Amino acid sequence: WARRQTFAVLCGELLSTIPYEDFSQDLLPHLLDLTWDIVPNVRLKVAHVFGHILPDELYNDTTSPNFELMHQALTHLAGDKDNDVREAASQAHRVTPNPPPKEEVPADPVPEPRPSQEEALPTWAQIAEVIQEIK
């Protein structure tokens, strides 16, 4: 996961140093894949790139072949189960955080009453009787 997280950070840095055409062709597809990574810290870095680092003119370019994919990715990250990921996705106010519905935790079933320890265990007198019978 550390390599995937580093890749997302590197993508954010490269956005300002290489031509966007190269970025969108060579790096963006892989960055988009990380939107669904199982590690929250990886998704956090991806959300930071799409939600903050990516310049507005690139994010809002409707002629870009990746326009719809980037918007879907950021919308997905804005609904992430991890609060930090949602905040990073909405940092530039491109999307609104949309936390998933909380799962209802089923109520603990009422345990059946157990017989008290005194009823379950034999008394010393009963133990002594059994020992006497054995002898």
Side-chain angles (χ1 to χ4, degrees):
W1 67 266
R3 289 181 187 168
R4 297 188 309 271
Q5 182 176 346
T6 302
F7 176 78
V9 172
L10 179 64
C11 285
E13 295 293 324
L14 290 175
L15 267 168
S16 63
T17 60
I18 65 172
Y20 182 70
E21 294 77 28
D22 294 337
F23 176 84
S24 66
Q25 182 178 354
D26 298 326
L27 301 175
L28 185 58
H30 303 290
L31 184 63
L32 286 166
D33 288 342
L34 295 180
T35 301
W36 289 270
D37 198 274
I38 60 170
V39 177
N41 283 347
V42 174
R43 296 192 310 271
L44 175 68
K45 297 303 179 185
V46 174
H48 185 66
V49 171
F50 288 132
H52 181 67
I53 296 175
L54 185 70
D56 286 336
E57 61 270 10
L58 298 176
Y59 180 76
N60 295 320
D61 181 9
T62 57
T63 63
S64 169
N66 296 306
F67 173 79
E68 193 63 38
L69 291 173
M70 286 190 298
H71 282 255
Q72 287 174 356
L74 193 58
T75 301
H76 176 76
L77 292 166
D80 197 271
K81 62 185 175 186
D82 187 276
N83 185 52
D84 293 336
V85 174
R86 289 193 307 270
E87 286 182 17
S90 62
Q91 188 173 8
H93 305 290
R94 294 175 176 163
V95 292
T96 304
N98 185 21
K102 292 189 177 190
E103 295 179 20
E104 289 188 28
V105 179
D108 289 336
V110 178
E112 293 184 26
R114 292 184 183 177
S116 69
Q117 289 286 345
E118 294 172 4
E119 295 174 9
L121 299 175
T123 64
W124 285 109
Q126 291 170 328
I127 294 171
E129 281 181 36
V130 171
I131 292 174
Q132 289 299 326
E133 290 174 4
I134 295 175
K135 288 184 178 179

